[in-house]
Amino acid sequence: MSTGGLRALAQFLGATEDCHLRALRLDKCGVSDKAAALLFRGVERAASLKSLSIARNRVGPRATMALARTVRGSHTDLRDVCVSGNAIHGAPLAALCEALGHCMTVHRLDLSWNLLGKTSDDEREAYSGKPRSTALYLTYLPRVTTGR
């Protein structure tokens, strides 16, 4: 999907009175880091969106920071986010994890098949060909209170 196409989609998602989309799946669409960042800015204003999957694309540092901003300040009811099989790692990953501490809507974040522990291009090149994390799911489990 082109950057222009994702820009138009992000604008549509941000038009809250016209957008009633509940799920968006863009797996294996060749979405670049820059285009994914544009998309996440639109998702931030998409009040009806509950599920987003952008697995197996090229989500990197720029888009990961945009996703962190979306998760932290979102006006959505986004509950399920899948960003598996991308290039999420380092400081942007830390920012995303920190943002999750301020978000009560996201119940599931799939970060599987990312190079979570690598922070530089040189390290990523050295790591290519080695197995990635096969599963990392962060799940929000609400506290159960008893009526005592």
Side-chain angles (χ1 to χ4, degrees), residues 11-120:
Q11 288 172 344
F12 171 71
L13 290 171
T16 56
E17 65 278 352
D18 295 328
C19 180
H20 302 286
L21 189 67
R22 296 201 184 279
L24 179 61
R25 188 171 186 160
L26 295 170
D27 299 350
K28 297 192 293 184
C29 289
V31 177
S32 70
D33 188 36
K34 180 180 177 182
L38 289 171
L39 175 69
F40 292 144
R41 281 189 227 125
V43 166
E44 185 173 357
R45 296 179 307 275
S48 64
L49 193 64
K50 302 229 186 283
S51 178
L52 172 66
S53 181
I54 188 165
R56 298 171 72 185
N57 283 286
R58 295 182 307 234
V59 174
R62 177 186 277 182
T64 304
M65 290 302 291
L67 178 59
R69 284 188 298 276
T70 295
V71 165
R72 185 180 191 120
S74 184
H75 301 286
T76 70
D77 194 19
L78 193 60
R79 295 176 181 268
D80 185 8
V81 180
C82 178
V83 288
S84 69
N86 284 288
I88 296 174
H89 62 279
L93 173 62
L96 177 58
C97 290
E98 193 272 330
L100 286 168
H102 300 278
C103 176
M104 298 305 286
T105 61
V106 175
H107 290 213
R108 181 178 171 274
L109 174 64
D110 182 352
L111 290 166
S112 62
W113 296 97
N114 279 282
L115 297 172
L116 300 177
K118 298 300 168 189
T119 58
S120 72

